[in-house]
Amino acid sequence: MKKVLVSLAVHEKPDVIKDQIKNFKFFLKNVVFILHVSKSYFDKYNIEELKGIEDVYINPENLITKWGNIVSTHISNYNYAKDNIKFDYILFHSSNDMLVRHGAYEYIIQHDAGYQLRKVNKNNVHWWPAFLAMKDFQLEQMKNEIGQTTLIASQLEGSFYKKEIMDKVIEIINLYYNETTSTSFYPKEEFYFSTLSSAVSDWSKIGKPIIFSEIHRFDRTLWNLKEIFRKINKWTFSKIFGWKLYFLFENLLNTVLFKSKFYKIKEKDIKKINNNDKKYLEKQNFLNDGSGFFQLYDISNLFGVKRVEREYNNRIRKYIRKLMKGL
């Protein structure tokens, strides 16, 4: 059987980390784990709580982690794993992902890789990381080295790659990536792996990420509203007030929507995934960031969700544990 290595970056709550590991072992065949444990973990928790778990390897490097540099943890994980662990596929996840049904293993081994083919260009008017990625000098060097001209973005969670592909990708990244000299602060993990692997992959053998993410639901609503309000402003208030005041309104809109939590993962989402409700999932399968629509998922092959709060007794987490017990 093929061996699937799950790369995780963790920073808190050993009980939640072990809950996630147990969840993945239940739903995913022939899985092993590589954990990057953030330096901040040691401020509150004991690493001994994570040692001795079967099929779980702990990366000896402990980086300082924060939003915007998560790519460094997965690069570190891979560099350790390729020399110390036997595996055939690498599957990337966040510490707030949970699986909700069986079948991911069979889907993964049918493909060379699985990620979104989101082409990035100057028309990505709603997605600010795109502009920073286009200006990322280190990424540009990587693209030139591997012979890729197009930026391809994807969610990290639930994306996967054959080891032979990721070996080539990490080799290029190791040549040019230096976190200490990078002047760009954005989610690089959503660009580096997908862009570089797309140059060495057979696109007909690329699947999609196996995780349904609430983030896309938030973005879809926000961007649809921005399209409407920008058109209104263009033909009305901008003629008097210009655009500066309007963009302050957009920032407020973003904050209000985020605090509303309308987009959060619910039991309903999990039930729809388990029932393979194509009508429900298809409505959430495409996203337009200004440059055109792109596909997020293979809706018949979604096997988990993001985000599940990192609280052991979180309602959604408890619901998923009931699924594992057949309740």
Side-chain angles (χ1 to χ4, degrees), residues 6 14 21 30 39 46 83 97 226 246 251 253 257:
V6 173
I21 291 169
N30 219 29
K39 272 192 175 182
N46 191 332
D83 296 326
D97 301 344
K226 284 167 68 174
Y246 170 77
N251 290 337
L253 176 64
L257 288 176

Side-chain angles (χ1 to χ4, degrees), residues 137-313:
F137 179 67
Q138 292 181 3
L139 178 55
E140 193 62 30
Q141 288 179 303
M142 298 175 204
K143 288 167 56 188
N144 291 338
E145 180 73 25
I146 207 167
Q148 174 61 290
T149 57
T150 305
L151 272 176
I152 302 291
S154 173
Q155 71 178 59
L156 178 76
E157 300 80 12
S159 62
F160 60 90
Y161 303 83
K162 265 188 174 180
K163 184 177 184 295
E164 303 86 70
I165 292 174
M166 190 52 61
D167 280 346
K168 296 175 184 177
V169 168
I170 292 296
E171 182 181 1
I172 298 297
I173 290 175
N174 286 340
L175 287 175
Y176 296 104
Y177 178 65
N178 186 332
E179 183 185 343
T180 60
T181 60
S182 174
T183 58
S184 301
F185 191 76
Y186 69 101
K188 299 180 180 72
E189 66 276 4
E190 296 182 13
F191 295 85
Y192 281 23
F193 302 149
S194 47
T195 293
L196 299 178
S197 67
S198 68
V200 293
S201 302
D202 179 346
W203 283 32
S204 68
K205 297 179 181 179
I206 299 174
K208 290 288 186 285
I210 63 170
I211 292 291
F212 179 93
S213 175
E214 67 180 32
I215 296 169
H216 300 308
R217 183 152 53 200
F218 175 84
D219 286 345
R220 183 181 297 106
T221 300
L222 175 64
W223 295 346
N224 285 344
L225 289 174
K226 284 167 68 174
E227 281 288 323
I228 294 170
F229 288 128
R230 285 186 182 187
K231 288 178 181 177
I232 293 173
N233 191 63
K234 179 180 179 180
W235 298 108
T236 56
F237 303 110
S238 67
K239 299 179 183 301
I240 303 171
F241 303 109
W243 285 90
K244 188 175 181 179
L245 187 62
Y246 170 77
F247 287 123
L248 290 176
F249 163 75
E250 275 198 359
N251 290 337
L252 177 62
L253 176 64
N254 187 98
T255 300
V256 169
L257 288 176
F258 182 77
K259 289 184 177 181
S260 74
K261 298 184 178 182
F262 76 91
Y263 50 90
K264 303 298 288 183
I265 291 294
K266 302 173 180 64
E267 290 180 15
K268 176 183 178 181
D269 297 313
I270 296 171
K271 290 175 182 177
K272 297 295 186 182
I273 290 170
N274 272 306
N275 293 332
N276 197 21
D277 189 327
K278 294 183 178 180
K279 184 177 180 181
Y280 177 83
L281 296 171
E282 188 65 30
K283 290 179 180 179
Q284 305 188 61
N285 196 27
F286 290 88
L287 198 60
N288 183 359
D289 54 18
S291 61
F293 286 93
F294 61 93
Q295 186 178 347
L296 295 170
Y297 315 114
D298 176 348
I299 58 172
S300 296
N301 290 287
L302 286 167
F303 302 95
V305 294
K306 173 185 176 68
R307 303 177 178 107
V308 180
E309 299 299 331
R310 286 183 285 263
E311 295 289 344
Y312 186 79
N313 288 317

